[in-house]
Amino acid sequence: MAYRITLIPGDGTGPELVTATRRVLEATGISFDWDVQDAGAAAIEKSGTPLPNEVLTSIQANRVALKGPITTPLGTGFRSVNVALRKALDLYANLRPARSMKGIPIRYDHVDLVVVRENTEDLYAGVEHDVIPNVAAESIRIITRPACERIVRFAFDYARANGRRKVTAVHKANILKFTDGLFLRVAQEIAAEYPDIPFEDRIVDNMCMQLVERPHEYDVIVTTNLFGDILSDLCSGLVGGLGMAPGANIGTELAVFEPVHGSAPKYAGKNKVNPVATILSAVLMLHHLGEHDAAQRVQGAVEQVVVEGHSVTYDLKPTREDPTAVGTQEMADAIIAAMS
Ligand code: NAD
């Protein structure tokens, strides 16, 4: 039986990354019945809205989606489709693993971090307005006990299920005494329910320094929405950049898999950017579907191609101008060849 999966190509480099990933997935021998849905610029052209209702109903029906990045206008224009999708489907946990692979020119070997980011509230709730246009504006930061409880529980359950060492809650409770004060108190309460898993907390600015200097001291990091977004880009920089950083948005019933990175619009249509972040997001999807064997085969093939270092995109070469760098589809071809 084929898995029916919602497939959202997205904007910018999204469609070419999703095509590469789809080819890798199909090469596993598993059957997929793709329910292709437009969101972002393509959807505006067709139906006048960046997030048509059919996208949400498709994901609700299929329960699983693979998604390319979607562009959000800066400062003006429509609100983020990515944030709206996570909120509308209550995909409350954003899981963003960052694991180093051999063969990439990076500062540290053996980095293995997982950022668990709250995905539905904080400053991303988008409650903001002008007080005096062009002079003053306000944004309201929303943090609630139920959202803190479920994201911290998700982090501990993930740590337990995956044999991880410890959980670190990251906050700014010294300054944001009400919002992050609540997050920290709840994290400490939930941690007491998991005596088998060590727990600690760090203030976010200190955490940035520590991750850059001593990433091996950390394991699962649980935090609020904005800090999670920033820390996961930082963690991707430790393992080879955004081209290597996969992600999953997970709710109680539904899951949407997408890379950490955005649409990298300057490279759109150039067959240039690294498909690994999207392919590893698909590996997370295969695990979610219970297809662990296929997931391991794809992961192994990616690692082999990256270690060999020949058929890799520009960002994984020692210099960005390396003339031996291959394109998005050629790297996917090499991963498919390594699988067989
Ligand atoms: P970006 O992630 O698109 O790019 C940041 C940098 O990383 C750029 O130098 C880019 O070239 C590089 N990069 C990104 N993906 C790469 C890949 N696969 N391989 C190699 N290099 C890669 O971030 P941005 O430029 O800040 O944002 C562009 C657009 O994407 C914005 O509209 C933003 O809102 C949107 N965005 C969407 C998502 C999402 O869909 N979930 C996430 C982040 C940003």
Side-chain angles (χ1 to χ4, degrees):
M1 208 187 74
Y3 288 103
R4 187 160 169 81
I5 309 276
T6 302
L7 190 70
I8 303 170
D11 291 326
T13 54
E16 55 205 283
L17 292 168
V18 166
T19 297
T21 302
R22 181 175 165 166
R23 294 199 295 115
V24 170
L25 282 171
E26 286 168 357
T28 62
I30 295 171
S31 299
F32 294 95
D33 173 14
W34 302 110
D35 179 5
V36 180
Q37 296 286 336
D38 285 326
I44 294 178
E45 275 167 34
K46 282 190 199 156
S47 47
T49 166
L51 184 56
N53 223 18
E54 296 81 71
V55 179
L56 299 177
T57 50
S58 162
I59 299 171
Q60 278 158 338
N62 299 327
R63 300 160 81 96
V64 178
L66 180 64
K67 170 183 167 298
I70 294 175
T71 302
T72 309
L74 297 180
T76 56
F78 60 83
R79 287 197 180 282
S80 166
V81 172
N82 310 300
V83 173
L85 194 81
R86 294 167 192 157
K87 181 113 178 121
L89 300 174
D90 200 25
L91 303 167
Y92 69 91
N94 190 191
L95 186 70
R96 293 180 155 186
R99 204 161 65 83
S100 55
M101 285 185 200
K102 290 198 177 72
I104 306 178
I106 45 179
R107 215 162 283 270
Y108 305 103
D109 291 330
H110 310 298
V111 173
D112 186 2
L113 297 159
V114 180
V115 175
V116 175
R117 167 195 180 198
E118 202 291 321
N119 226 2
T120 62
E121 51 181 33
D122 192 350
L123 287 166
Y124 285 60
V127 186
E128 56 172 7
H129 59 262
D130 275 333
V131 177
I132 305 167
N134 248 344
V135 177
E138 280 179 351
S139 189
I140 296 176
R141 185 161 189 255
I142 296 170
I143 300 289
T144 66
R145 172 172 278 277
C148 295
E149 283 180 356
R150 66 180 180 172
I151 197 63
V152 176
R153 257 200 196 101
F154 181 97
F156 275 99
D157 288 340
Y158 177 88
R160 199 178 258 170
N162 292 278
R164 309 290 305 206
R165 278 185 293 134
K166 68 171 172 180
V167 173
T168 306
V170 177
H171 59 84
K172 188 76 183 170
N174 52 331
I175 303 298
L176 305 168
K177 293 185 190 294
F178 289 86
T179 49
D180 269 12
L182 174 61
F183 172 74
L184 177 58
R185 271 197 312 281
V186 172
Q188 288 163 337
E189 283 169 29
I190 303 292
E193 297 173 16
Y194 296 81
D196 52 318
I197 299 166
F199 171 75
E200 63 189 6
D201 71 275
R202 292 282 182 275
I203 295 174
V204 63
D205 35 352
N206 177 29
M207 188 70 195
C208 291
M209 183 279 289
Q210 299 226 9
L211 280 171
V212 170
E213 228 178 33
R214 300 193 292 278
H216 304 110
E217 285 186 16
Y218 296 93
D219 194 329
V220 175
I221 294 163
V222 61
T223 188
T224 49
N225 203 334
L226 178 61
F227 296 159
D229 201 7
I230 296 167
L231 286 178
S232 49
D233 269 39
L234 187 158
C235 291
S236 85
L238 293 170
V239 298
L242 283 165
M244 298 301 293
N249 302 288
I250 299 171
T252 48
E253 303 286 331
L254 315 175
V256 175
F257 298 84
E258 65 175 339
V260 169
H261 65 72
S263 55
K266 69 180 171 190
Y267 294 128
K270 296 201 167 128
N271 187 37
K272 168 123 178 141
V273 294
N274 188 347
V276 168
T278 315
I279 293 171
L280 292 182
S281 304
V283 167
L284 295 175
M285 183 183 86
L286 288 170
H287 281 300
H288 179 82
L289 294 171
E291 296 288 352
H292 303 296
D293 181 55
Q296 245 126 39
R297 272 188 292 134
V298 177
Q299 174 90 33
V302 168
E303 285 176 15
Q304 187 183 321
V305 169
V306 170
V307 169
E308 285 169 2
H310 302 303
S311 301
V312 296
T313 44
Y314 74 102
D315 55 314
L316 300 184
K317 292 286 187 183
T319 68
R320 299 226 150 192
E321 293 74 37
D322 193 317
T324 65
V326 302
T328 307
Q329 302 307 326
E330 291 68 32
M331 187 165 180
D333 291 341
I335 292 166
I336 292 167
M339 268 162 57
S340 56

